[in-house]
Amino acid sequence: MIYVLGSANADLVFRVPAVPLAGQTLLASDYCVLPGGKGLNQAVAAARLGSTVEFVGAVGSDANGHMLLGVMAANKVGTLHLTRVTGVPTGCAGIFVGDDGENAIAAAPGANSFASASAIPTGAFVLTQLEVPLVEVTQAAGAASTFILNPAPAKPIPDSLIARCTVITPNESEAASLTGIDLNDDASIELAAQDLLSRGAQHVIITLGARGVYWAHPGGSEYFDAPQVEVVDTTGAGDAFNGALAHHLHAATSMREAIPLAVQIASISTTHVGAIDPSPL
Ligand code: RIB
């Protein structure tokens, strides 16, 4: 069983020529409301690969919450530990996706602030991010025997939490925010990873977008290339990576084999609009 503690959002996605600048008004070619939230995206990615997944989070008693419950059911994501909150809207993210597939996102937590880790049992395999309260992430880390933290969106976290990480998976900007190192070349990527290892993480995987990922652990380090694909929308690529990585590690695949499999899933995820694979299960 993989416990995914995290957010579930309704994503309001605008297709625009380029992500708008401050003060700019753009005409979007279209918009749509899609399921999202880093937690739900990661839970669905793991479940679609065949893992048994329990989603630990919260949605509102509104139409968006109802829509997300349908997505969980359709993707066989367990909801035993899902809280339905009344009087608070389901989390929502506004997403601009440019013609180059790049995006800008602002997410309002809403009901995600009510996610509770209290039901996660001792010894659990946990995957989480930082769109739910840090106190819940910390509680999950205390219970977990395997703890994968995708530190997104970037926010300050204590070293005691980093030291609980079996795997920590920042992207470049999140790694920069956690370490204070400007990641602008291989040397700085490697230095940032060493910094996180020195603070107690067992494995550090820095995701590098179209380039692939860098993996460092106390025994060594390695770069993994990403396959070249026709990019439509990069939203949720990191989530697809984390969900797939959790699936393969939970299935006792070695880290060296799990990483390229997860990179492949992340690359495929950029070839469709939205954070969740729209094809039927
Ligand atoms: O990582 C992408 C996700 O971030 C989106 O689905 C959005 O909801 C935000 O949580």
Side-chain angles (χ1 to χ4, degrees), residues 154 170-184 188 192 196 199 206:
N171 65 17
E172 287 161 283
S173 66
E174 291 148 5
S177 148
L178 288 173
T179 63
I181 296 167
D182 184 16
L183 276 69
N184 50 22
S188 53
L196 293 169
R199 288 151 74 183
I206 301 182

Side-chain angles (χ1 to χ4, degrees), residues 7-14 31-41 64-65 67-68 71 90-97 103-108 112 131 233-237 239 273-276:
S7 57
N9 291 336
D11 287 353
L12 182 54
V13 181
F14 293 89
Y31 78 94
C32 49
V33 180
L34 296 172
K38 294 182 194 302
L40 180 57
N41 299 340
N64 284 336
M67 180 266 286
L68 295 176
V71 170
T90 296
C92 182
I95 304 182
F96 294 105
V97 180
N103 63 53
I105 304 178
N112 293 312
E131 282 188 332
D233 180 4
T234 57
T235 309
D239 299 331
V273 175
I276 288 179

Side-chain angles (χ1 to χ4, degrees), residues 6-239:
S7 57
N9 291 336
D11 287 353
L12 182 54
V13 181
F14 293 89
R15 299 247 13 150
V16 286
V19 172
L21 303 170
Q24 188 180 24
T25 300
L26 282 179
L27 277 183
S29 55
D30 58 49
Y31 78 94
C32 49
V33 180
L34 296 172
K38 294 182 194 302
L40 180 57
N41 299 340
Q42 296 181 15
V44 169
R48 290 183 79 105
L49 286 167
S51 279
T52 303
V53 175
E54 274 299 328
F55 180 70
V56 184
V59 295
S61 304
D62 51 12
N64 284 336
H66 188 72
M67 180 266 286
L68 295 176
L69 285 173
V71 170
M72 291 173 206
N75 288 282
K76 300 187 172 64
V77 170
T79 54
L80 277 176
H81 307 304
L82 178 80
T83 307
R84 287 204 79 177
V85 198
T86 46
V88 180
T90 296
C92 182
I95 304 182
F96 294 105
V97 180
D99 284 345
D100 59 359
E102 293 301 328
N103 63 53
I105 304 178
N112 293 312
S113 302
F114 294 83
S116 166
S118 57
I120 295 178
T122 304
F125 187 111
V126 174
L127 168 63
T128 190
Q129 326 75 30
L130 298 176
E131 282 188 332
V132 292
L134 192 55
V135 64
E136 304 303 325
V137 173
T138 305
Q139 178 165 348
S145 58
T146 300
F147 182 66
I148 305 176
L149 175 62
N150 173 221
K155 64 168 74 160
I157 55 173
D159 279 357
S160 55
L161 184 58
I162 295 174
R164 295 289 314 181
C165 291
T166 314
V167 191
I168 189 167
T169 61
N171 65 17
E172 287 161 283
S173 66
E174 291 148 5
S177 148
L178 288 173
T179 63
I181 296 167
D182 184 16
L183 276 69
N184 50 22
D185 58 11
D186 285 1
S188 53
I189 290 168
E190 292 159 21
L191 194 63
Q194 287 306 318
D195 181 83
L196 293 169
L197 287 179
S198 74
R199 288 151 74 183
Q202 294 172 37
H203 295 268
V204 177
I205 299 176
I206 301 182
T207 54
L208 306 170
R211 186 176 164 193
V213 307
Y214 174 68
W215 167 44
H217 55 104
S221 63
E222 212 170 312
Y223 285 90
F224 292 82
D225 291 337
Q228 290 205 337
V229 293
E230 196 78 26
V231 174
V232 174
D233 180 4
T234 57
T235 309
D239 299 331

